[in-house]
Amino acid sequence: MRSRYRKVGARPQVQAQFSANWVTHPEVQGSEQAVVLFRSTFTLTSLPDSFPVDISADAHFRLFVNGEWVAWGPQLGDIQHWRYDHHDLKPYLRTGENVVAIEVINWGHYRYFGMESVHTALLVQGYGPAEMLTTQRDRKNYQ
């Protein structure tokens, strides 16, 4: 586990632990052409001040919260310089049941020149109240 400092929302620098693991579908064997859908449902009794997440995918993702499109990414990088995007999901949340849905897309050998891929997968790191969305190999928080 590596510690790092990063700005989260409008707050001052806070120390955050990056504990996420790459997760995928058991039938996806590598970087072949695939679309994998991930969904996490959770209940909030009140809205937090912020709900920050870092998210990445091999090769691309589309992020939805409660049926609203939030973003797609990540920025292009390479194997040694993998990119992730930072989002505060609070504007999309409501009290009661919430659904975060992420579509991971890998175009396989049809991907753009220069777009690298290792294995079709998803990586999410949640902070504070969003920690429940952190992807872990031994945690079944995504269906």
Side-chain angles (χ1 to χ4, degrees), residues 12-85:
Q13 296 283 342
V14 294
Q15 184 175 9
Q17 296 292 325
F18 197 86
S19 60
N21 300 126
W22 288 97
V23 295
T24 191
H25 190 277
E27 293 178 15
V28 174
Q29 299 301 313
S31 61
E32 70 269 14
Q33 187 175 8
V35 176
V36 182
L37 306 175
F38 296 87
R39 183 181 68 200
S40 184
T41 304
F42 56 94
T43 302
L44 293 175
T45 56
S46 63
L47 291 178
D49 292 334
S50 65
F51 209 80
V53 296
D54 290 332
I55 181 171
S56 191
D58 185 347
H60 284 291
F61 69 85
R62 292 192 320 158
L63 170 63
F64 299 86
V65 178
N66 293 323
E68 283 189 68
W69 176 78
V70 176
W72 83 284
Q75 299 176 20
L76 289 179
D78 59 46
I79 304 301
Q80 286 78 31
H81 304 94
W82 205 266
R83 307 283 188 221
Y84 61 89
D85 297 339

Side-chain angles (χ1 to χ4, degrees), residues 104-118:
V104 174
I105 306 154
N106 194 324
W107 289 280
H109 66 274
Y110 295 108
R111 68 182 158 266
Y112 305 116
F113 177 75
M115 185 183 296
E116 298 185 30
S117 177
V118 176

